[in-house]
Structures are given as structure tokens and as C-alpha cells.
């Protein structure tokens, strides 16, 4: 099994997944500006390249060439480690995402997933919760009261919403009976999408995903009116860029997980028919495209919500997390349990 | 008939404030959020109001004060006689000039015996009040003719506009004289 082709195959998949994540994160920044502009009757970036398509490159160039500023902090090492943790955790999650079933290349079956571990979902949750450290360390090492307060707010928010997120998933897991994302995707073939069976679980997960990625209406981590900028007040140049980039990478990953868990992943109506009549490869390439389209829809939804709903107040945020979403998730678990017992 | 002062509404738009409790569905906010999303998505497809500035310029009002223009008469001669009244009336002291005497053979260039050899306006100082325009006895300086903004620049020196930028282009004077006749 462990021959050289295995390593080459997995290496290529990892590189492609990495590149796709990066490109999506890059163009999310462009898309965010464009969507924001369109929702406000403006045009948006249109100078760099056609329709402003070179804007992310220009932004990157600018961030790399800007002056690097270090605050007078005793924790200079942690100050650098903060954005690195945020960025690497954002990119690590994509390793377990199933992009498709399989391709047949030169008579060899290639599984379209970097690694298919049985506890993929737990791995995702574990890595995401490490992301809190990136923000917390960054805010702490800045040696700035406002950054620290922003970091405390962000981390308490992310930790409280992780509880509700984990609970909302349990109802889904009781139904699917597995933690493997590949397995969950396969169970949803031909319109057996989980969102149809677990709408409440989906709603809770969606709200928590917004909070986990620090997106509006839960972007209390960055609030220019109260905390100057939040946990990244002291950051400049590409270290700042990494924090923002990590947010967009997280947005891509959470959109992918939402589509895989609730919207059938790479499945699309008629996939069975395609596999039998046209071929495995064509069916699966279409599957990858279907997954990417679902992801794009979710990313657009993130942006759409961002420019519609105002930011929460902090006590409202905590109230929603602890006193509404967590009980709701527990009730959902109980109802699911009863239903499973009743229909078995 | 006596109404208490609380019930009088002169504008007719007075509304009673109510603090009634939200119903269950209202307190979920989900309906309100979906309504809001519908409103924003409508704007996604609406016509954009942006004017792409350097390529498109907006229609200015007839009295819009933009960059100055030193006018020529219908024979293409400069009106300005360098009397200095504009500089005197300028509250920001943006205008400086140096006068010179018209020589023989220059009658087609300048309308009167005296003309401005150097005429400079510092556009960083100018407040576009239009007092120079009002003070001018020779109808020479106008802010309302060019309908142009002062363009952005990188150097402070580039904002000092000399006669090369201020004097009305000859083609424009020719076109004006044709429209008069």
C-alpha cells in the first residue's frame, strides 16, 4: 500500500487542496468588496485588471511591502506566533474534506481526499478550537489593553459558541452514526440531504459558524468604535494580513463543512445516472464542481448577511449562545433520539 | 372643545410610541432577518449610482465653481490687464501676478496696453469663493466656465497654476466667437 505512487498521489491532492483554499481565501477578499459594493448600489474595485480581478494581488503586494511595526512588548516571539497559529489552523482543516468520491487515472482509483480519518469531524473541531489561541496570543502579546479586551471578547465568544456547535452536531451524528466526513457525504446521495432531516441542527450550526469565523453579526473581536480595532490593533503589514486572510480561509472551510454536513457535499441530483451512463471521472468532476458551487453560495450568504445585520451587543451575544442555542440544541438531541427510536 | 397639549399634532405625523411585548415569532427575529436579507438582495441588482470619474464626469450646475479660467475676447486676445484687483480681493491670498507692457506687434495677443506676464493661482490656498470673479473689472477671470475639478497631484509645486493652465485655450475662444456671430 505504502508505495511511492501513494505519496505522489496524496502529495498532489494536498497541494491542490492547499492552492484551492488559498485562491478561495484570496478571491473572497475581492468578492467581499464587490458584494458589499453591489449591495450598496456601488461598483466596487474595478481598476486593477478586468473587474478588479487583480485586486487581491495588489493587496498582497501592498501588505508585504508595508513597514513592519513591533510594539514595545516583552512577548515579541508570541507576537509573531499569533498570526502564524491563526493562519495554519485555518489551512489545516482542509485536509479531511472530501472533494469527491474517486477518480480513475491510468486504471488506478484516486480517492479525492487528502486523508480519510474516522474522526474527521472531531479533528475539524479540535483544529478550529486551536484557532482561538492565535487570537488570544496575538491580543495578549500586543501589550495593549484594547487588544487584550478584543482578544478576551473574541475567545470567550468562540469558546461559548463552540459548545452550541458541538451539541448541534450530536443530533446529526446520532442519525448518521459516523464521524467520517466521507461517510456522511456518501449517505446523502440523491437528495437525502441532512438539512431536510435536521433543519434545527443546521440553523444552530450556521449561527455558530458565523460566530466561529468572527463574521458579522458576531464580529465583536474587531470593533473599531469601542476597541480601536480589537485583537489586531497593533498588527501591521503581512502579520495583519495573515489575521484577515485566516478569517477568509476559515470562511471557506466553514462553508465547505456546512455543505458537506448538511447539503450533500459533492452529491448532486443525477450523480448515480451520470456514473452509470457517462463514466466515473465525469461524474466526479461534476461532483467537485457541485461542491464548489455550494461553497460559493455559502460564502455569498456570509457576505450577504454581513451587509444586512448589525453587530450584536456583547450581553446579547452571550445570551443567545448560552441561554438559547445550547438548550435548543439539547432539545433537538432529545427529539432526534425519540424519532430514531420511534421509526427504527 | 379643549384638547390637552399632549394630543396636539401640528404636523399630523405624530405617532404614539408603544412598548408592547413582542410575540413569540417576533422575538425569534428570524422573520425580521429574512426580510432584511430580501431588502439587501434587491439592491444587489439595482442600477449603480457610481460615476466613473476620470472617464465620466458628472453634470455640473451652471454656477459650479471649478478651476479658474482667464478668458479671451472674441478676437482671441487676453482680457486680463493685470490690475491686481483679484489678488486684492482674494481672502486666501492665492493669486499673484506680474504685469508687463504690450510691445508693438503684440496687439493680437493682449487687448489692452498692460497685460499679465506672470499670473499664478495657488490651488492649495484657493477656497473657491468667487470673489476674484466678482472683483474683475475686465471680465477676465471666471471660475464657472471650465466646469472642471482641480486634479490631484503628488507635489505641492504642481498646484501652483500658471498662465499655461489658466488661460482659455485658443480653440475655445474661436468656438465662442463663432457662436456669437
Amino acid at each position: 500500500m505504502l508505495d511511492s505512487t501513494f505519496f505522489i498521489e496524496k502529495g498532489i491532492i494536498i497541494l491542490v487542496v492547499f492552492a484551492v483554499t488559498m485562491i478561495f481565501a484570496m478571491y473572497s477578499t475581492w468578492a467581499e468588496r464587490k458584494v458589499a459594493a453591489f449591495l450598496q448600489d456601488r461598483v466596487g474595485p474595478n481598476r486593477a485588471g478586468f473587474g478588479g480581478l487583480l485586486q487581491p494581488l495588489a493587496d498582497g503586494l501592498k501588505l508585504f511591502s508595508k513597514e513592519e511595526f513591533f510594539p514595545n512588548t516583552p512577548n515579541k516571539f508570541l507576537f509573531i506566533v499569533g498570526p502564524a497559529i491563526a493562519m495554519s489552523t485555518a489551512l489545516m482543516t482542509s485536509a479531511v474534506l472530501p472533494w469527491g468520491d474517486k477518480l480513475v487515472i491510468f486504471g488506478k482509483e484516486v480517492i479525492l481526499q487528502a486523508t480519510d480519518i474516522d474522526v474527521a469531524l472531531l479533528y475539524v473541531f479540535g483544529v478550529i478550537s486551536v484557532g482561538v489561541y492565535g487570537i488570544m496570543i496575538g491580543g495578549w502579546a500586543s501589550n495593549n489593553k484594547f487588544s487584550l479586551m478584543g482578544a478576551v471578547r473574541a475567545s470567550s465568544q468562540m469558546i461559548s459558541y463552540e459548545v452550541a456547535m458541538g451539541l448541534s452536531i450530536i443530533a446529526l451524528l446520532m442519525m448518521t452514526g459516523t464521524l467520517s466526513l466521507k461517510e456522511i457525504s456518501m449517505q446523502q446521495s440523491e437528495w437525502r440531504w441532512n438539512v431536510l432531516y435536521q433543519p434545527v441542527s443546521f440553523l444552530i450550526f450556521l449561527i455558530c459558524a458565523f460566530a466561529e469565523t468572527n463574521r458579522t453579526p458576531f464580529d465583536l473581536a474587531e470593533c473599531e468604535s469601542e476597541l480601536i480595532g480589537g485583537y489586531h490593533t497593533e498588527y501591521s503589514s503581512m502579520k495583519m494580513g495573515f489575521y484577515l486572510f485566516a478569517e477568509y480561509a476559515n470562511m471557506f472551510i466553514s462553508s465547505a463543512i456546512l455543505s458537506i454536513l448538511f447539503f450533500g457535499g459533492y452529491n448532486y441530483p443525477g450523480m448515480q445516472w451520470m456514473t452509470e451512463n457517462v463514466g466515473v471521472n465525469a461524474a466526479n468532476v461534476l461532483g467537485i464542481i457541485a461542491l464548489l458551487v455550494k461553497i460559493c453560495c455559502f460564502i455569498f450568504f456570509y457576505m450577504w448577511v454581513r451587509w444586512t445585520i448589525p453587530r450584536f451587543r456583547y450581553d446579547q451575544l452571550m445570551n443567545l449562545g448560552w441561554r438559547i442555542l445550547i438548550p435548543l440544541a439539547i432539545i433537538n438531541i432529545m427529539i432526534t433520539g425519540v424519532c430514531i427510536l420511534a421509526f427504527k | 372643545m379643549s384638547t390637552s397639549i399632549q394630543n396636539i399634532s401640528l404636523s399630523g405625523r405624530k405617532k404614539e410610541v408603544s412598548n408592547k411585548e413582542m410575540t413569540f415569532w417576533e422575538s425569534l427575529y428570524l422573520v425580521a432577518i429574512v426580510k432584511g436579507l430580501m431588502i439587501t438582495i434587491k439592491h444587489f441588482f439595482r442600477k449603480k449610482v457610481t460615476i466613473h470619474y476620470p472617464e465620466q464626469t458628472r453634470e455640473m450646475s451652471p454656477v459650479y465653481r471649478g478651476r479658474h479660467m482667464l478668458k479671451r475676447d472674441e478676437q482671441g486676445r487676453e482680457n486680463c490687464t493685470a490690475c491686481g484687483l483679484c489678488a486684492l480681493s482674494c481672502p486666501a491670498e492665492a493669486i499673484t501676478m506680474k504685469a508687463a507692457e504690450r510691445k508693438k506687434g503684440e496687439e493680437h495677443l493682449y487687448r489692452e496696453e498692460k497685460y499679465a506676464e506672470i499670473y499664478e493661482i495657488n490651488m492649495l490656498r484657493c477656497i473657491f469663493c468667487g470673489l476674484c470673479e466678482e472683483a474683475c473689472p475686465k471680465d477676465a477671470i471666471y471660475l464657472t466656465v471650465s466646469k472642471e475639478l482641480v486634479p490631484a497631484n503628488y507635489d505641492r509645486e504642481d498646484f501652483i497654476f500658471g498662465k499655461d493652465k489658466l488661460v482659455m485655450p485658443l480653440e475655445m475662444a474661436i468656438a465662442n466667437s463663432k457662436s456669437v456671430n
Side-chain angles (χ1 to χ4, degrees):
Chain A
M1 177 67 184
L2 283 172
D3 51 9
S4 59
T5 52
F6 175 78
F7 284 109
I8 293 170
E9 176 194 319
K10 288 299 178 195
I12 290 172
I13 290 174
I14 289 169
L15 277 181
V16 169
V17 168
F18 180 73
V20 167
T21 314
M22 290 298 242
I23 288 170
F24 257 87
M26 244 169 84
Y27 275 93
S28 294
T29 62
W30 169 81
E32 171 109 77
R33 295 172 65 180
K34 220 49 180 167
V35 169
F38 272 57
L39 290 176
Q40 295 167 348
D41 298 342
R42 294 187 283 118
V43 176
N46 63 350
R47 296 285 140 169
F50 175 75
L53 274 174
L54 296 177
Q55 196 68 45
L57 294 178
D59 286 342
L61 198 70
K62 188 193 90 174
L63 283 170
F64 270 116
S65 57
K66 274 191 115 168
E67 185 191 351
E68 261 199 298
F69 169 78
F70 284 92
N72 187 13
T73 167
N75 301 309
K76 198 164 269 183
F77 175 68
L78 290 181
F79 188 75
I80 299 167
V81 164
I85 292 176
M87 193 68 204
S88 42
T89 53
L91 291 173
M92 266 163 73
T93 330
S94 57
V96 293
L97 301 179
W99 298 98
D101 189 17
K102 59 187 177 243
L103 288 180
V104 180
I105 299 169
F106 303 125
K108 192 176 179 311
E109 285 193 356
V110 177
I111 308 287
L112 288 169
Q113 189 177 11
T115 165
D116 180 20
I117 50 176
D118 290 335
V119 289
L121 204 52
L122 284 185
Y123 168 83
V124 169
F125 276 71
V127 171
I128 286 175
S129 51
V130 173
V132 180
Y133 286 91
I135 289 175
M136 193 64 218
I137 285 174
W140 168 258
S142 293
N143 200 14
N144 175 336
K145 287 189 205 81
F146 293 108
S147 299
L148 184 60
M149 278 199 275
V152 168
R153 265 159 72 140
S155 50
S156 58
Q157 168 197 328
M158 284 168 91
I159 289 165
S160 9
Y161 275 80
E162 208 144 298
V163 178
M165 200 184 212
L167 286 174
S168 76
I169 279 302
I170 286 174
L172 186 77
L173 296 181
M174 284 161 70
M175 231 179 64
T176 56
T178 176
L179 280 165
S180 159
L181 289 172
K182 177 102 184 169
E183 193 69 32
I184 292 173
S185 297
M186 273 170 11
Q187 285 178 5
Q188 298 179 71
S189 58
E190 302 294 328
W191 284 115
R192 279 184 308 232
W193 290 4
N194 283 331
V195 68
L196 303 174
Y197 301 98
Q198 290 286 356
V200 179
S201 180
F202 165 69
L203 198 65
I204 299 169
F205 193 89
L206 184 72
I207 295 169
C208 294
F210 272 87
E212 283 288 307
T213 47
N214 279 326
R215 297 279 302 176
T216 329
F218 303 101
D219 62 342
L220 287 154
E222 34 196 294
C223 30
E224 52 292 313
S225 51
E226 305 134 67
L227 296 175
I228 312 171
Y231 62 93
H232 51 52
T233 302
E234 296 286 348
Y235 281 89
S236 60
S237 73
M238 203 55 204
K239 292 202 293 310
M240 167 83 183
F242 269 169
Y243 268 130
L244 299 184
F245 209 63
E247 185 189 317
Y248 285 99
N250 274 328
M251 202 164 92
F252 170 68
I253 298 294
S254 63
S255 300
I257 289 170
L258 272 164
S259 343
I260 288 165
L261 285 182
F262 292 98
F263 280 81
Y266 53 79
N267 291 297
Y268 54 92
M271 190 170 182
Q272 208 84 49
W273 184 88
M274 278 289 282
T275 316
E276 280 157 15
N277 292 297
V278 185
V280 184
N281 283 357
N284 278 298
V285 168
L286 219 63
I288 296 170
I289 294 168
L291 180 59
L292 290 179
V293 167
K294 287 171 192 173
I295 291 171
C296 289
C297 288
F298 270 110
I299 290 177
F300 176 76
F301 184 68
Y302 267 100
M303 293 166 183
W304 181 10
V305 168
R306 174 169 180 181
W307 300 101
T308 306
I309 306 173
R311 189 180 289 152
F312 270 91
R313 210 170 61 210
Y314 191 64
D315 61 313
Q316 291 173 332
L317 174 95
M318 283 294 157
N319 204 17
L320 179 69
W322 287 98
R323 289 174 49 193
I324 296 173
L325 290 184
I326 292 176
L328 195 64
I330 292 171
I331 293 169
N332 191 35
I333 291 170
M334 291 198 282
I335 292 171
T336 311
V338 169
C339 287
I340 288 173
L341 279 179
F343 293 111
K344 206 168 184 180
Chain B
M1 185 181 151
S2 69
T3 42
S4 77
I5 193 96
Q6 276 84 20
N7 296 324
I8 296 172
S9 170
L10 290 175
S11 64
R13 293 196 298 266
K14 187 172 177 179
K15 263 189 186 162
E16 232 17 75
V17 177
S18 83
N19 283 332
K20 74 171 195 300
E21 291 277 307
M22 284 192 281
T23 62
F24 172 72
W25 279 108
E26 278 171 345
S27 67
L28 281 182
Y29 289 111
L30 283 176
V31 182
I33 287 171
V34 171
K35 269 187 196 165
L37 288 172
M38 288 305 127
I39 291 170
T40 40
I41 202 69
K42 257 184 240 157
H43 281 266
F44 194 87
F45 303 104
R46 205 164 275 183
K47 199 169 167 288
K48 311 296 169 222
V49 295
T50 309
I51 296 166
H52 301 261
Y53 167 57
E55 293 94 42
Q56 301 168 7
T57 44
R58 72 187 305 155
E59 192 76 18
M60 295 293 187
S61 112
V63 292
Y64 175 79
R65 299 201 192 114
R67 54 184 284 188
H68 311 63
M69 187 173 273
L70 290 173
K71 285 187 75 166
R72 294 174 190 273
D73 65 1
E74 56 278 4
Q75 294 172 37
R77 303 177 298 189
E78 286 176 22
N79 278 359
C80 179
T81 61
C83 63
L85 280 178
C86 51
L88 201 67
S89 70
C90 182
E93 297 194 15
I95 304 176
T96 49
M97 69 186 70
K98 195 176 159 208
E101 211 162 312
R102 185 176 70 184
K103 303 218 172 57
K104 252 202 167 49
E106 286 181 341
E107 286 83 0
H108 64 291
L109 290 176
Y110 311 110
R111 196 165 67 172
E112 305 197 18
E113 291 90 62
K114 212 171 85 176
Y115 71 96
E117 188 187 4
I118 298 170
Y119 193 102
E120 285 181 347
I121 301 178
N122 188 338
M123 290 298 179
L124 290 175
R125 302 199 63 149
C126 176
I127 56 173
F128 301 95
C129 60
L131 288 184
C132 48
E133 188 179 296
E134 278 179 41
C136 185
K138 298 289 181 188
D139 266 359
I141 189 160
Y142 275 97
L143 284 79
T144 47
V145 173
S146 68
K147 300 274 186 292
E148 271 174 36
L149 301 161
V150 176
N153 248 320
Y154 288 102
D155 288 316
R156 282 171 179 277
E157 284 72 32
D158 293 333
F159 285 101
I160 297 169
F161 280 28
K163 274 182 86 173
D164 53 328
K165 288 175 184 162
L166 292 173
V167 177
M168 175 187 262
L170 212 55
E171 303 87 63
M172 198 170 166
I174 293 166
N176 283 351
S177 70
K178 271 178 192 156
S179 70
V180 166
N181 296 335

